[in-house]
Amino acid sequence: QITLKESGPTLVKPTQTLTLTCTFSGFSLSADGFNVAWIRQPPGKALEWLALISWDDDKHYSPSLKNRLTITKDTSKSQVVLTMTNIDPVDTATYYCARGLDDDSFDVWGQGTMVAVSA
Amino acid sequence: QSVLTQPPSASGTPGQRVTISCSGNTSNIGSNTVHWYQQFPGTAPKVFIYSNNKRPSGVPDRFSGSKSGTSASLAISGLQSEDEADYFCATWDGNLNGPVFGGGTKLTVL
């Protein structure tokens, strides 16, 4: 069974750095063809892709957030970590990690973690 | 503002056929396959159609996807109350070098 689960703080203060961890099981990020992406969704709004890391450590970032994001993977722990600097209230959202396939679809998603940004 | 354009809402009565459109450009839909995700309130999205017109196991054949040029469509025939959800289209964008999503369409079964 393939699962992904997000973890991290639920409340962050403006200007702080947000660190989110995606812990997955049922597949390996060292295998050809898979990637893990972070996608967020502000309350009542659309999905927004943030970053993606491939099995070969290739990394892609949303151009609009590229300067604030870092994505890394720890294959031995089956984890992908996303850090976002200089957090702002507009970053309040549910953050999802998802497994990506070669066709660029995301076939399995985590349950999501809600992050609120407030002083 | 989302890169892919979807109508914010769609509706139909039980048994009807409903289509949801998704419009992009040559760098995204025009060059790559389109996927559709279904999302119920408070839950994570779930892939419903992938690679333009393929259905994951468990998705009824009442759902179908198509793509032509820089647009794609999700069609739902024999509409049922349990189809009421948000639907998002997505694809890869070669200019942005990453996946892009539509703004989502809220489907209401009247």
Side-chain angles (χ1 to χ4, degrees):
Chain A
Q1 184 187 8
I2 298 161
T3 64
L4 301 96
K5 187 172 184 179
E6 307 86 353
S7 59
T10 56
L11 182 63
V12 183
K13 294 187 187 316
T15 75
Q16 288 186 332
T17 294
L18 171 66
T19 299
L20 295 171
T21 300
C22 175
T23 303
F24 57 88
S25 64
F27 70 100
S28 173
L29 247 191
S30 59
D32 188 6
F34 297 128
N35 60 68
V36 171
W38 284 95
I39 297 155
R40 71 179 178 182
Q41 186 174 36
K45 295 190 176 180
L47 300 167
E48 178 186 17
W49 168 70
L50 301 176
L52 178 155
I53 188 164
S54 299
W55 64 276
D56 58 355
D57 211 39
D58 189 24
K59 301 169 187 176
H60 298 263
Y61 296 100
S62 167
S64 62
L65 294 166
K66 183 176 182 178
N67 293 337
R68 299 173 53 206
L69 297 175
T70 303
I71 190 169
T72 60
K73 66 180 174 73
D74 186 331
T75 305
S76 65
K77 292 183 180 178
S78 295
Q79 290 182 334
V80 171
V81 175
L82 180 76
T83 60
M84 180 182 291
T85 60
N86 195 23
I87 286 289
D88 183 271
V90 299
D91 296 314
T92 293
T94 296
Y95 287 75
Y96 297 100
C97 61
R99 186 178 81 160
L101 304 181
D102 265 348
D103 64 359
D104 305 318
S105 67
F106 300 110
D107 68 333
V108 185
W109 294 60
Q111 64 188 23
T113 185
M114 176 65 192
V115 178
V117 182
S118 174
Chain B
Q1 191 164 346
S2 301
V3 173
L4 306 179
T5 302
Q6 296 180 240
S9 63
S11 63
T13 55
Q16 268 191 331
R17 184 175 189 271
V18 171
T19 61
I20 298 173
S21 62
C22 175
S23 177
N25 60 41
T26 54
S27 71
N28 44 61
I29 293 180
S31 308
N32 299 286
T33 59
V34 177
H35 320 294
W36 291 89
Y37 298 89
Q38 180 192 58
Q39 185 181 35
F40 294 107
T43 69
K46 168 185 151 183
V47 65
F48 227 61
I49 296 286
Y50 66 98
S51 296
N52 298 334
N53 54 18
K54 297 180 174 55
R55 287 185 308 275
S57 61
V59 174
D61 59 7
R62 302 186 292 106
F63 291 83
S64 62
S66 64
K67 183 189 116 169
S68 178
T70 59
S71 295
S73 292
L74 172 68
I76 308 168
S77 59
L79 198 61
Q80 298 181 7
S81 58
E82 57 259 38
D83 300 334
E84 192 164 283
D86 293 324
Y87 293 86
F88 295 90
C89 59
T91 187
W92 186 269
D93 190 297
N95 283 350
L96 300 178
N97 205 21
V100 290
F101 291 91
T105 298
K106 183 176 181 60
L107 176 62
T108 301
V109 181
L110 302 169

